[in-house]
Amino acid sequence: MRAQPLLIARTLVDGLVEAAKINQGIYFVRSNDNVEFLSYKSLLEKSLNVLYNMREQGINKGDKVIIHVYDNSDFIVVFWACLFGGIVAIPLSNSNTKESHRAVIKL
């Protein structure tokens, strides 16, 4: 297998757009030892679809969005949607403490 040329992008978004042109991606190891592959092309398409849906809900550039998902691949897709849209992504942990609740309220 030939090594892919190094991609040089000005932004992360540009980097994903360029990476989507090659057959590579991200592997997610699940708790049951299954491995899921998400190609950069699929990540790009899914992220733009999520961004479209965010726009339909009235979420615009500069808005804050709390991301609270349990699946890592879903998190990656929503995070990239935020990057593409200029939306401020706020990852929320699964913590269930008073301190974490207060932190969310302050947002």
Side-chain angles (χ1 to χ4, degrees):
M1 183 168 134
R2 270 182 57 181
Q4 297 292 332
L6 179 65
L7 299 173
I8 300 175
R10 292 187 53 213
T11 67
L12 285 172
V13 168
D14 292 342
L16 181 58
V17 170
E18 286 300 312
K21 297 175 184 176
I22 58 177
N23 190 24
Q24 292 184 352
I26 304 168
Y27 290 91
F28 297 94
V29 179
R30 303 295 182 188
S31 60
N32 57 4
D33 289 333
N34 287 336
V35 176
E36 176 189 338
F37 177 75
L38 178 63
S39 70
Y40 292 131
K41 181 179 179 181
S42 182
L43 174 57
L44 174 62
E45 292 168 352
K46 289 180 177 187
S47 295
L48 291 176
N49 187 44
V50 168
L51 177 58
Y52 173 82
N53 289 316
M54 287 177 162
R55 296 277 192 243
E56 288 290 305
Q57 297 297 318
I59 300 169
N60 296 303
K61 182 176 182 177
D63 289 348
K64 296 177 183 177
V65 171
I66 294 174
I67 304 174
H68 187 225
V69 295
Y70 293 97
D71 185 90
N72 288 335
S73 60
D74 290 341
F75 172 83
I76 294 294
V77 169
V78 175
F79 180 78
W80 276 97
C82 290
L83 289 178
F84 274 102
I87 297 164
V88 179
I90 304 172
L92 184 63
S93 73
N94 293 326
S95 177
N96 194 19
T97 65
K98 287 181 181 181
E99 291 81 18
S100 63
H101 293 176
R102 279 193 289 266
V104 170
I105 292 169
K106 288 180 183 178
L107 296 174

